[in-house]
Amino acid sequence: MNFKESIQFVLVFFVLTVISCSDNLSDRKLNPSHILWYDKPAGRWTEALPVGNGRLGAMVYGGIEEEIIQFNEETLWTGQPHDYSNKGAHEVLSELRQLLWAGKQNEAHKLGNERFMSQPFGQLSYQPFGNILLHFTVPDNIRNYKRQLDIGKGISSVVYETDAAIFKREVFASQPDQAIVLHLESSRTGELNFIIGLESQHSIYEVSLQDDVIILKGKANNYAEELDRQNKPYPESKLSFEARLKVINEGGRLMKENNSIKVINANEATCYLVASTSFVDYQNINGNPAKRCEEYLKNLNGKPYKVIKDNHINDFSNLFNRVKLDLGSSDISNRPTNERLISFNQDEDPNLVSLLYQYGRYLLISSSRPGTQPANLQGIWNDQLSPPWDSKYTININTEMNYWLAEITNLSELTEPLIRMVEDLAVTGETVAREHYGVNGWVTHHNTDIWRGAAPINNSNHGIWPTGGAWLCQHLWWHYQFTNDIEFLRKTAYPVLKEASSFFVGYLVTDPGNPDWLVSGPSNSPENGGLVMAPTMDHQIIRNLFTNTMEAAEILDVDTGFIKIIKEKRARIAPNLIGKYGQLQEWLIDKDDPENKHRHVSHLWGLHPGNEIHPLTTPGLAEACRVTLSHRGNGGTGWSKAWKINFWARLLDGDNSFLLLRDLMVPSITQGVEMRDEGGLYINLFDAHPPFQIDGNFGVTSGITEMLLQSHLRDANGDYYQDILPALPSALSGGKISGIKGRGNFEFSIEWKDGELLYLEVKSLAGNNLNLRYKGKVISHKTERDEKLTFTLDDFKYHSVGAE
Ligand code: FUC
């Protein structure tokens, strides 16, 4: 290098360094649709920022003097392994049916509660684990405070300046290293001073110190209520837990302070929190949490922070980056998230829609990983000993909604925990099928917990609902449809679907009013109208289960005799009916009240997530769904609104779908007061039922995807239609999405402008026949595995055929 070249090199190096430093400071490179940020610490839990690795979750408050990192481990629940079935309940099954046929609902409720319910009446609850507490000695004159969550990397951070230095903290939950990692640094040497400790909310726990490790050991509290409504005790809590926090400092020193560790005059510090319980599986709680913690820490020993962070980012972004969404942005998009949320309904800020969309994916990646428990009502984040609805699994909508986004937004492997839970329920649910119904197969009602309770809980007027397991089976079928994994179909999905179908073969009864029809009952249309015979939703779900079981058996070439039986039964299941107001009937009897605004709109299951109602194939029923939705109105809890976003998208009405989305994108807490019974968002963009319930977040991501791509209909050959931009709202008239998936294992990039398709790229991952449909025009192609095809609007204009 000569002198001139050296000068040039130095200059280029200088300019690049300045750009990269200023980028760091001003966050110029940050994509506002990947960042939640605030200029104040969190004042309450729903303002704190969530991180998680599927097993461990944490909520970071970002305090300046006092920092709280509240954490969870997903297996810490009240109770112990337990069989909830009610021996001999089947003795009253026929009487329950007779009472309902005779119109004696009150008597049926009473008998149901006396003889047919789970033992005890309720299930157990998910628990908080503990808090990491930090106390900082903060120099004066704090300025430029910022806390943020980078959802593309899964890292939460806090930065502020003082007269002495710039201080920065990062927190993430590493999946590869199974730890919550906290890194602290100051821009000037020796300025970092803090005390760190652990505490728990459980009544029995102790904290101790072993060198540079703080140890928290305890035993789960009992369920918050001692006795159920029939004075039966809840199973005693038996799980023990342990967390260990290791502190590593650089440049300073550590000192013991009671059972905490004091870090003095350090430049940097890294803290690793590992945690575990004695839970092994729903039948076994003989795990050794101390040993597990020891192993987690041993694995971390000697690994530099940078390596752990890089591994975390690689692991996290590998999942997150599969889908990119750009709906445009403006200056408003760079404002703090809380301000964006407050003004969303007045502002042009489609970027906030992208942020909320990706946040749903972020939350699933953080709360559901292969080998973990499925995301519960709060995902993995809970700070209460007695959380709303026990933070368990409600199966009459909520648990399924949690996973609606998984396959379509390219997070297929994250369904593994749900699928494993269904496999467990197929075991516990077999006992319930036998004891409560006297039939073969397996059944699950409207809730489950970590002990895989499958019996009807709470109250007979809504707990006796036997189609929970059948609904969950849809997710196993989807997994096959999206991956085409035949071994999965053979070994996992089919046996579960077959036994779920077996249950309904034995359970369905002839309708006395119409002996050609088979109906479900005793059951209910979730949480609306009490115990009944023949709710529409059940029939839709059972038809769907039978159809999927038949197709799976055909693909696998097995069980011809059994398939013949379910084929005959399916043909006799009572059909969807249109009632006197033009509405889709919620029950076989036409008794819908057009004034009823109930949050559940269960009888539209066949529209979404089912596929038996569609404006193109069953226009009359689709119109009846539209009437029903207009009766129910746009109100509702968070998940109810989220479901309606999906319903309207399936009715191909993007503008109505967006209207619901806009209604949901409002602050749930205004001037410190929670809006009652109306869904909205908290400051940290958690969805509000209220209170916080994560299903709404996941349902939003699913609903937006349904606006852009749908693949649930098939042509006469059984190939899926890939409907492109089927319900594009005018408010999102331009944008770009890549990585979303359609059935048949296709991956899509779609770009649109002024409400029209601009460019489309399809990757065929399994080599299936491709059937693209856009605005009534169809392009069909035979594809090779891994073939990539591109299309423009002109291809649909000039080289397509009219849709069937
Ligand atoms: C169902 C819903 C409630 C709530 C609960 C967890 O029972 O009806 O609104 O979401 O689940």
Side-chain angles (χ1 to χ4, degrees):
M1 209 185 279
N2 60 30
F3 177 73
K4 203 171 144 201
E5 279 168 349
S6 316
I7 291 286
Q8 272 171 353
F9 176 79
V10 169
L11 266 177
V12 167
F13 181 76
F14 176 75
V15 169
L16 286 178
T17 310
V18 167
I19 288 174
S20 92
C21 288
S22 67
D23 274 346
N24 276 341
L25 288 180
S26 66
D27 288 337
R28 274 199 326 163
K29 273 196 301 202
L30 296 178
N31 175 351
S33 69
H34 288 183
I35 302 289
L36 283 79
W37 77 273
Y38 310 84
D39 55 16
K40 278 189 226 44
R44 56 170 96 199
W45 192 77
T46 50
E47 293 176 11
L49 293 171
V51 294
N53 66 6
R55 189 176 71 83
L56 300 168
M59 295 290 283
V60 187
Y61 281 69
I64 296 173
E65 260 173 73
E66 309 290 340
E67 168 68 300
I68 304 172
I69 302 173
Q70 182 269 322
F71 66 93
N72 289 95
E73 199 273 359
E74 61 168 1
T75 63
L76 188 53
W77 285 64
T78 58
Q80 56 176 295
H82 182 74
D83 171 11
Y84 290 90
S85 66
N86 189 341
K87 305 286 172 253
H90 64 89
E91 288 157 16
V92 298
L93 177 64
S94 147
E95 196 179 340
L96 283 173
R97 287 179 174 144
Q98 296 312 320
L99 287 169
L100 292 169
W101 291 131
K104 297 180 177 170
Q105 195 189 47
N106 288 341
E107 282 94 324
H109 283 162
K110 191 161 168 284
L111 180 63
N113 280 331
E114 280 165 10
R115 299 284 308 275
F116 206 77
M117 303 304 286
S118 163
Q119 304 289 303
F121 256 62
Q123 293 169 350
L124 293 143
S125 66
Y126 182 46
Q127 295 292 285
F129 200 119
N131 297 322
I132 307 176
L133 300 173
L134 294 110
H135 174 80
F136 292 91
T137 314
V138 186
D140 289 339
N141 204 3
I142 291 152
R143 52 195 182 267
N144 294 332
Y145 174 92
K146 181 173 183 181
R147 72 183 168 103
Q148 72 172 35
L149 178 65
D150 182 337
I151 61 170
K153 296 197 174 105
I155 296 183
S156 149
S157 54
V158 176
V159 185
Y160 55 85
E161 285 177 49
T162 71
D163 289 346
I166 300 174
F167 292 92
K168 185 170 177 187
R169 274 176 239 157
E170 287 181 329
V171 181
F172 56 88
S174 159
Q175 201 280 337
D177 284 304
Q178 287 298 313
I180 292 170
V181 181
L182 163 66
H183 182 76
L184 308 97
E185 62 185 59
S186 83
S187 62
R188 279 192 31 209
T189 47
E191 288 292 339
L192 197 58
N193 289 289
F194 65 95
I195 299 172
I196 187 162
L198 289 177
E199 64 166 19
S200 176
Q201 278 158 279
H202 292 267
S203 320
I204 302 176
Y205 81 92
E206 59 181 47
V207 180
S208 59
L209 273 187
Q210 215 175 65
D211 304 323
D212 54 0
V213 177
I214 307 171
I215 301 174
L216 165 76
K217 272 183 207 290
K219 183 180 161 296
N221 268 20
N222 282 333
Y223 188 66
E225 289 159 36
E226 235 169 76
L227 300 174
D228 78 354
R229 42 189 299 201
Q230 278 193 340
N231 291 328
K232 297 204 179 87
Y234 280 96
E236 193 193 327
S237 292
K238 285 276 172 68
L239 285 172
S240 58
F241 60 83
E242 180 157 339
R244 296 189 184 191
L245 181 91
K246 183 177 171 72
V247 182
I248 300 168
N249 100 90
E250 206 190 281
R253 65 199 166 87
L254 301 184
M255 238 180 81
K256 282 186 186 178
E257 176 138 326
N258 302 319
N259 282 323
S260 304
I261 291 180
K262 194 169 185 176
V263 178
I264 304 164
N265 297 341
N267 312 329
E268 276 182 40
T270 309
C271 310
Y272 300 111
L273 180 95
V274 297
S276 182
T277 73
S278 50
F279 181 89
V280 177
D281 61 42
Y282 76 96
Q283 292 162 308
N284 176 353
I285 53 168
N286 292 326
N288 181 340
K291 195 155 164 256
R292 287 173 176 172
C293 285
E294 216 174 278
E295 277 159 16
Y296 292 135
L297 282 185
K298 205 160 117 206
N299 159 63
L300 284 158
N301 206 7
K303 273 193 199 170
Y305 172 68
K306 193 170 166 343
V307 171
I308 288 166
K309 182 177 165 183
D310 286 351
N311 287 345
H312 161 71
I313 294 176
N314 277 341
D315 163 72
F316 195 91
S317 53
N318 171 35
L319 291 161
F320 184 87
N321 287 342
R322 290 179 190 171
V323 171
K324 298 200 163 56
L325 173 64
D326 181 0
L327 297 170
S329 58
S330 65
D331 283 350
I332 302 164
S333 317
N334 294 316
R335 293 201 311 227
T337 309
N338 49 323
E339 291 177 21
R340 295 175 76 185
L341 179 60
I342 289 169
S343 62
F344 179 73
N345 269 266
Q346 293 93 55
D347 283 341
E348 286 283 306
D349 189 10
N351 187 278
L352 192 64
V353 176
S354 311
L355 176 61
L356 192 62
Y357 179 85
Q358 291 288 23
Y359 195 47
R361 298 185 65 250
Y362 170 82
L363 293 172
L364 194 67
I365 299 169
S366 305
S367 62
S368 182
R369 293 289 194 104
T372 70
Q373 296 296 314
N376 65 42
L377 283 171
Q378 298 188 178
I380 194 177
W381 301 277
N382 166 36
D383 69 334
Q384 297 173 50
L385 290 168
S386 187
W389 292 284
D390 305 314
S391 189
K392 53 187 186 298
Y393 300 94
T394 308
I395 305 174
N396 64 16
I397 172 66
N398 320 81
T399 302
E400 291 88 351
M401 185 178 278
N402 283 6
Y403 285 88
W404 282 351
L405 72 163
E407 303 287 352
I408 55 182
T409 75
N410 216 333
L411 297 172
S412 187
E413 64 267 62
L414 305 191
T415 60
E416 191 264 1
L418 180 75
I419 291 167
R420 254 186 316 106
M421 180 169 91
V422 180
E423 288 185 284
D424 291 347
L425 288 169
V427 178
T428 56
E430 203 183 337
T431 313
V432 178
R434 199 175 51 242
E435 293 298 339
H436 291 243
Y437 297 92
V439 300
N440 292 331
W442 67 278
V443 62
T444 291
H445 295 79
H446 93 300
N447 262 272
T448 192
D449 58 4
I450 202 165
W451 313 114
R452 307 307 191 228
I457 68 158
N458 291 357
N459 192 320
S460 60
N461 67 9
H462 67 277
I464 303 178
W465 178 73
T467 38
W471 186 345
L472 287 170
C473 282
Q474 187 187 36
H475 289 255
L476 277 69
W477 178 244
W478 281 352
H479 191 66
Y480 170 71
Q481 284 184 310
F482 279 87
T483 60
N484 285 183
D485 181 346
I486 194 104
E487 281 315 298
F488 167 78
L489 187 69
R490 190 189 320 278
K491 292 203 180 111
T492 308
Y494 182 67
V496 171
L497 265 67
K498 181 183 169 190
E499 291 309 314
S501 292
S502 272
F503 171 80
F504 290 101
V505 167
Y507 161 84
L508 288 169
V509 286
T510 301
D511 174 30
N514 186 342
D516 287 342
W517 287 351
L518 291 176
V519 294
S520 169
S523 183
N524 68 96
S525 190
E527 309 192 26
N528 185 25
L531 196 61
V532 291
M533 294 302 292
T536 301
M537 179 199 229
D538 280 10
H539 301 150
Q540 297 171 340
I541 293 178
I542 301 164
R543 254 195 303 274
N544 185 274
L545 172 70
F546 281 179
T547 307
N548 300 341
T549 308
M550 280 160 50
E551 190 174 340
E554 215 168 274
I555 296 167
L556 299 171
D557 198 13
V558 291
D559 292 332
T560 353
F562 177 67
I563 294 313
K564 195 163 165 273
I565 295 172
I566 59 173
K567 196 169 181 186
E568 280 163 17
K569 295 257 177 196
R570 186 187 64 165
R572 290 183 55 203
I573 296 173
N576 292 306
L577 296 174
I578 299 175
K580 56 178 176 280
Y581 303 103
Q583 87 285 8
L584 192 75
Q585 284 180 208
E586 188 157 359
W587 302 275
L588 210 53
I589 300 170
D590 187 3
K591 58 172 184 180
D592 299 287
D593 173 3
E595 300 300 321
N596 184 348
K597 304 288 175 215
H598 201 279
R599 62 195 181 285
H600 286 264
V601 199
S602 307
H603 44 315
L604 267 53
W605 194 93
L607 175 69
H608 181 274
N611 59 357
E612 66 180 35
I613 302 177
H614 191 286
L616 295 177
T617 50
T618 57
L621 291 174
E623 181 51 31
C625 289
R626 190 178 266 279
V627 172
T628 295
L629 280 177
S630 66
H631 290 170
R632 287 283 161 94
N634 286 356
T637 56
W639 63 258
S640 174
K641 285 182 171 163
W643 200 355
K644 289 170 187 167
I645 297 171
N646 288 270
F647 283 143
W648 283 112
R650 285 281 177 100
L651 285 172
L652 310 180
D653 189 334
D655 284 339
N656 256 320
S657 188
F658 190 80
L659 203 67
L660 263 301
L661 175 63
R662 217 190 53 188
D663 272 9
L664 186 142
M665 291 177 69
V666 294
S668 177
I669 295 180
T670 350
Q671 291 165 352
V673 181
E674 179 100 60
M675 282 160 57
R676 297 305 311 156
D677 289 334
E678 279 290 302
L681 298 173
Y682 294 105
I683 291 302
N684 64 2
L685 301 188
F686 270 173
D687 185 70
H689 179 287
F692 164 52
Q693 217 170 270
I694 205 159
D695 38 24
N697 287 100
F698 296 137
V700 160
T701 305
S702 157
I704 296 170
T705 314
E706 293 280 338
M707 294 174 191
L708 307 176
L709 177 72
Q710 296 177 15
S711 64
H712 57 290
L713 281 194
R714 301 191 189 191
D715 67 9
N717 301 322
D719 295 323
Y720 303 98
Y721 282 110
Q722 310 293 332
D723 280 307
I724 309 299
L725 304 177
L728 188 66
S730 34
L732 304 177
S733 63
K736 219 185 329 187
I737 190 157
S738 63
I740 50 175
K741 293 201 66 183
R743 287 168 183 77
N745 209 352
F746 295 103
E747 198 175 295
F748 290 86
S749 280
I750 309 171
E751 192 173 348
W752 66 98
K753 199 177 159 211
D754 300 328
E756 283 221 315
L757 176 71
L758 208 58
Y759 177 78
L760 175 66
E761 190 180 292
V762 190
K763 235 189 273 168
S764 170
L765 296 169
N768 286 319
N769 290 342
L770 174 67
N771 253 346
L772 294 168
R773 181 159 55 182
Y774 176 67
K775 290 199 175 163
K777 298 289 181 65
V778 177
I779 297 178
S780 300
H781 260 278
K782 286 203 182 320
T783 70
E784 298 290 324
R785 183 182 290 269
D786 291 329
E787 189 178 344
K788 218 190 242 180
L789 300 103
T790 57
F791 304 89
T792 62
L793 184 59
D794 282 352
D795 292 317
F796 286 92
K797 277 190 183 152
Y798 305 118
H799 309 294
S800 61
V801 292
E804 291 152 37

